[in-house]
Amino acid sequence: ETNKPVEPPQQTAAMKSLHSARFIQDPSKICYPLSIVSPSPALNANAPSDRKFKYNKEFLLQFQAVFKEKPSLDWDARVRETVGDAGESARPQSAR
Amino acid sequence: PNDQKKESIGDAITVFHDPENFNVKHPLMHHWTLWFTKPPSGKDINWNDLLKEVVTFSSVEEFWGIYNNITPTSELGLKADYHLFKKGVRPEWEDQQNKHGGKWSYSFRDKRAVSIDDLWLHAQLAAIGETLENDDDNEVMGVVVNVRKGLYRIGLWTRTVGRSIEGRSAAKGKEVLENIGRRFKEVLRLKDPEVVEFSGHTDSARSSAKAKPKYTV
């Protein structure tokens, strides 16, 4: 990592959770809050135990308003490098 | 593998339970890499300088963190592309894993009428959620959106062009691709009379003008 700042800014709680969370082994066994619709069981009915990870769009869309954290601390810089400075019309993400 | 530890369901806190302090995340079946093609400016001359790897991810939560913090397609400049491909596959037809393949694609020619951000989102969700193909198909390589003068185009790249391959007759191969094409068409919310076309990468590369599509759905 060459572009790591000398004094790294603090990770947010959500970012830490994202990195430390363990992978669910069987989403059909998770008790979601009542407001959440579980992944469609039919998609994974015949899947072997390590491949029960098909998700329907309705399930996936529920995350949209819930997880808004940037994936990493260097995200703004990475977007600027790859996408953001793409030209006049490509608007750079607002960096703080 | 069977030797994995039993999940203790009771203490599984998902992002829905607590968006700040969750301890489990939803794995994807594959690792995916998001690529971006920069619109060429004066000093960029070759495609390799323009095609940039943005990020690789493997969970549903990471996908949304990325999606919610990146420029929407509708705000990109002309000649920009996003490509979402399985990790290890470059989004170019010259890639070893693409060179015998092809793509389903549809061009949206009324740019103001189409909600391209939604359509591209749904194409990505279908890819990472693995709902475009059946388990043994092993065809989907990635999805791509192109921003061009007068159109947006969304494509789905496949490993083969439906020829006969290991354990699969040519007829079966064609059927597999057509099924994928039909699901893709549904994801793009196209009506029956609208036609999604499949062409092989090498066919498109050879005949610069108008190659006849190999399949349509």
Side-chain angles (χ1 to χ4, degrees):
Chain A
E1 299 276 312
T2 49
N3 52 359
K4 225 177 218 166
V6 184
E7 284 183 54
Q10 278 298 333
Q11 286 203 329
T12 63
M15 222 181 259
K16 278 186 199 154
S17 294
L18 179 64
H19 294 147
S20 63
R22 65 184 195 275
F23 281 116
I24 292 170
Q25 287 172 23
D26 185 352
S28 72
K29 298 223 164 69
I30 295 288
C31 280
Y32 292 98
L34 285 176
S35 58
I36 298 300
V37 182
S38 302
S40 162
L43 284 175
N44 298 300
N46 301 314
S49 65
D50 57 342
R51 296 189 57 82
K52 293 182 174 295
F53 309 119
K54 290 191 177 188
Y55 304 108
N56 49 314
K57 160 184 90 181
E58 293 74 16
F59 175 71
L60 292 173
L61 283 168
Q62 299 174 107
F63 290 79
Q64 182 164 17
V66 174
F67 196 82
K68 303 198 151 206
E69 188 54 80
K70 291 167 190 165
S72 59
L73 281 174
D74 66 351
W75 182 249
D76 286 336
R78 194 180 319 192
V79 169
R80 259 197 313 279
E81 266 167 41
T82 52
V83 180
D85 58 354
E88 314 308 328
S89 47
R91 195 186 61 178
Q93 286 291 295
S94 59
R96 273 176 306 130
Chain B
N2 293 328
D3 56 345
Q4 279 174 346
K5 261 194 296 173
K6 255 258 161 66
E7 193 150 24
S8 43
I9 307 302
D11 58 8
I13 304 166
T14 69
V15 72
F16 296 119
H17 296 94
D18 185 342
E20 301 273 291
N21 299 293
F22 51 98
N23 62 14
V24 293
K25 55 188 172 187
H26 293 76
L28 298 173
M29 210 95 88
H30 292 94
H31 286 64
W32 294 86
T33 302
L34 181 68
W35 301 72
F36 180 69
T37 313
K38 296 173 127 187
S41 68
K43 53 190 192 315
D44 299 314
I45 27 158
N46 100 43
W47 162 259
N48 282 320
D49 298 335
L50 300 175
L51 182 64
K52 305 269 184 186
E53 207 174 317
V54 182
V55 65
T56 296
F57 59 92
S58 61
S59 70
V60 176
E61 288 79 357
E62 272 175 293
F63 169 79
W64 284 108
I66 293 159
Y67 182 82
N68 283 325
N69 291 285
I70 203 164
T71 315
T73 305
S74 57
E75 294 178 16
L76 297 175
L78 293 181
K79 299 192 180 166
D81 312 310
Y82 278 126
H83 318 251
L84 182 68
F85 272 64
K86 284 179 182 163
K87 184 186 171 188
V89 182
R90 279 182 74 85
E92 303 176 294
W93 68 264
E94 296 91 339
D95 187 284
Q96 277 303 318
Q97 299 167 86
N98 284 324
K99 66 181 196 183
H100 303 296
K103 64 171 186 285
W104 284 106
S105 79
Y106 186 83
S107 297
F108 297 88
R109 293 180 185 279
D110 189 347
K111 288 174 86 169
R112 270 172 302 184
V114 66
S115 40
I116 191 63
D117 294 329
D118 281 348
L119 295 176
W120 172 236
L121 171 60
H122 289 192
Q124 293 183 92
L125 294 180
I128 66 173
E130 307 280 344
T131 53
L132 288 166
E133 63 181 344
N134 292 330
D135 280 330
D136 303 328
D137 292 350
N138 192 22
E139 282 287 352
V140 174
M141 307 305 280
V143 287
V144 54
V145 61
N146 312 123
V147 180
R148 297 293 181 271
K149 189 160 191 264
L151 64 88
Y152 291 116
R153 188 189 304 116
I154 299 186
L156 187 177
W157 286 37
T158 58
R159 184 184 304 272
T160 77
V161 294
R163 283 171 306 113
S164 145
I165 50 162
E166 334 84 62
R168 195 189 280 174
S169 66
K172 176 68 182 163
K174 175 173 188 260
E175 188 191 315
V176 164
L177 287 191
E178 287 179 342
N179 279 331
I180 292 170
R182 277 188 286 270
R183 291 193 199 176
F184 186 53
K185 182 172 182 173
E186 206 179 299
V187 167
L188 299 182
R189 298 186 195 143
L190 296 170
K191 306 217 167 55
D192 259 354
E194 292 159 323
V195 176
V196 183
E197 296 185 341
F198 184 90
S199 54
H201 296 314
T202 46
D203 298 342
S204 332
R206 257 184 232 124
S207 49
S208 48
K210 273 221 172 1
K212 215 175 112 216
K214 199 169 161 61
Y215 314 119
T216 56
V217 292

